[in-house]
Structures are given as C-alpha cells and as structure tokens.
C-alpha cells in the first residue's frame, strides 16, 4: 500500500484525507468506475481511526466523487463536466434536452411580490411593479446541481403556476403567450454559499458559480431577472467568440 503525503496541521484529519483522496481521483490514481481501498486499508494507510475515514468518505460522497455500492465498497464516479453556454439564450429544459441529461426540476416556491426600492436595484424592474418570484432546484442524475431564482413581470405574465414552472417557462411564454424573447445581459461571478443555499442544494460547497441575467423582449422591454447558481464541479462554462473581419 502506498503511503499518503504528510497531513497538514491546520485541518482536521478527515478533511486532509478528503483532499488527498480527491487529488488522487483527479489525478487518475483512483480511476473512475473502480473502487477505493477498503476502510481498513485506508485506516492503515493514513494511520487514523475508522470514524475519521468514514467522515472523509462521507465528504467524498457529498461532493459526488464516490458512491457506496453494497458488497463492493466505495466506487469512484465519472466526473464529466457539462458544457453550459453563457453567451446564448437557452432555457434550462432546452439545455437538458440538448445534452441528454437525466434532469428533474423541483419548484421550491412561487409567490407574487411588489418590487421594493432595493429589489428594483437588483432586478431592474421599476419600484411598485408586480413580479412573480419563483425558486426552483435542478437535479442532474439525482443530485441537486442548480438553484434558480426568477423574477418575472406580472404585467407580461399574468398567469403562472407551479406546473408550468416545473416543465418549461420559456415554452409557455413563447408558445402560449406569444412573447418574443430576444436577448439578455449577463454577469458571472463566484459567490460564497449561505445556509439556505446549502440546504436547498443538499450540499456543503463553500462556493457556487452565479449567473445573473436580465432578459428582454424584442421591443427592449424587460420581462425577467434570474439568479442561477451552479455547482462548480458539475459544469464547465463555455463561450464562442468570433473576431470581426478586418477590411
């Protein structure tokens, strides 16, 4: 059995072991679709208690790196990043169909709000404007990977239900309401998570990739503001750039 690297003193042992095994998974020392050493072997390798090993394995499971398989042990999962286009204007459901993802949408809440001054600054909607606030989680292969918070103009979308939100809002807006969705202004940042986000995403991730979007119709009227938060280890954010021809 290969010895692990020396453990750093500032972290708890199980966190150090988690980091070490994660590096070995990333470096293909523990390849995808193979099992990790047994708990007893890991105990000997790291010279720690079984409880410490189990805490480290629990962290690896929570991050989607391994999965317990009855009678086999801890199976290393494939870590295939999904390409998420940031320049296009595509709905999540359209993306899920394009990438053939095993995806499920859960509607957390839907309510009608009046825009306050602070909410106006955030969303771009005028104060006292009525908006729908919609919160949804998106699961991929059974793991919550995206948390979406949408604000939609009540003036343009006077009727909205959880059933509509669970399927595809854009299909409803374009197909049923005849709205001509044209373009969006986007801002992408990496943000620390809060307790509510960790609970909704069933995750202990410290950071998420956040995409803020103000979405407009062809007549330049804004109808939507979205905050879409993604797990960093699930998506690769891609763009397509073309250099304008120089005459």
């Amino acid at each position: 059995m290969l010895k692990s690297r020396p453990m750093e003193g500032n972290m708890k042992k199980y966190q150090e072991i988690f980091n070490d095994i994660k590096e070995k998974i990333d470096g293909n020392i523990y390849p995808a679709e193979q099992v990790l050493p047994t708990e007893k072997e890991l105990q000997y390798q790291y010279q720690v208690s079984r409880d410490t090993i189990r805490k480290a394995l629990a962290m690896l499971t929570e991050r989607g790196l391994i999965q317990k398989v009855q009678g086999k042990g801890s199976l290393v999962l494939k870590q295939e990043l999904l390409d998420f286009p940031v320049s296009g204007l595509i709905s999540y459901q359209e993306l899920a169909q394009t990438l053939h993802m095993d995806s499920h949408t859960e509607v957390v809440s839907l309510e009608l709000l009046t825009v306050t001054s602070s909410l106006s600054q955030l969303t771009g909607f005028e104060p006292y404007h009525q908006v729908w606030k919609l919160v949804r989680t998106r699961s991929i292969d059974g793991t919550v990977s995206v948390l979406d918070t949408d604000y939609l103009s009540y003036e343009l979308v006077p009727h909205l239900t959880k059933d509509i939100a669970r399927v595809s809002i854009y299909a409803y807006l374009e197909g049923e309401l005849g709205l001509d969705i044209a373009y969006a202004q986007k801002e992408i940042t990496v943000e620390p998570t809060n307790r509510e986000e960790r609970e909704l995403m069933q995750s202990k991730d410290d950071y998420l990739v956040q995409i803020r979007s103000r979405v407009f119709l062809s007549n330049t009227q804004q109808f939507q503001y979205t905050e879409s938060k993604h797990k960093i280890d699930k998506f690769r954010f891609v763009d397509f750039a073309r250099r304008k021809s120089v005459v």
Side-chain angles (χ1 to χ4, degrees), residues 9 17 32 106 209:
I17 295 168
E106 183 71 28
V209 174

Side-chain angles (χ1 to χ4, degrees), residues 100-115:
H100 306 289
M101 298 190 301
D102 179 13
S103 177
H104 172 73
T105 295
E106 183 71 28
V107 178
V108 178
S109 61
L110 174 64
E111 58 182 323
L112 192 59
L113 301 176
T114 299
V115 175

Side-chain angles (χ1 to χ4, degrees), residues 9 19 43-45 52 54 92 108 131 141 145 155-157 160 165 169 188 190 222 240 243-244:
N19 288 336
Q43 267 186 270
Y44 175 76
Q45 179 179 350
T52 300
R54 286 179 173 173
Y92 178 84
V108 178
V131 293
D141 298 327
S145 302
E155 177 186 351
L156 295 168
V157 189
L160 186 62
I169 287 181
I188 302 174
V190 176
Q222 182 182 347
F240 177 79
R243 179 173 168 79
K244 188 168 66 174

Side-chain angles (χ1 to χ4, degrees), residues 113-181:
L113 301 176
T114 299
V115 175
T116 62
S117 177
S118 60
L119 189 57
S120 174
Q121 292 180 1
L122 173 69
T123 64
F125 291 114
E126 292 293 328
Y128 307 110
H129 193 92
Q130 283 196 300
V131 293
W132 295 104
K133 180 182 178 182
L134 170 65
V135 180
R136 293 175 291 179
T137 58
R138 318 286 200 166
S139 298
I140 300 172
D141 298 327
T143 300
V144 179
S145 302
V146 182
L147 173 62
D148 282 339
T149 302
D150 293 282
Y151 295 87
L152 296 122
S153 168
Y154 177 74
E155 177 186 351
L156 295 168
V157 189
H159 177 71
L160 186 62
T161 67
K162 288 187 176 182
D163 287 338
I164 293 171
R166 195 174 292 113
V167 181
S168 174
I169 287 181
Y170 274 26
Y172 170 69
L173 298 182
E174 293 175 319
E176 297 294 325
L177 300 185
L179 298 183
D180 186 7
I181 302 170

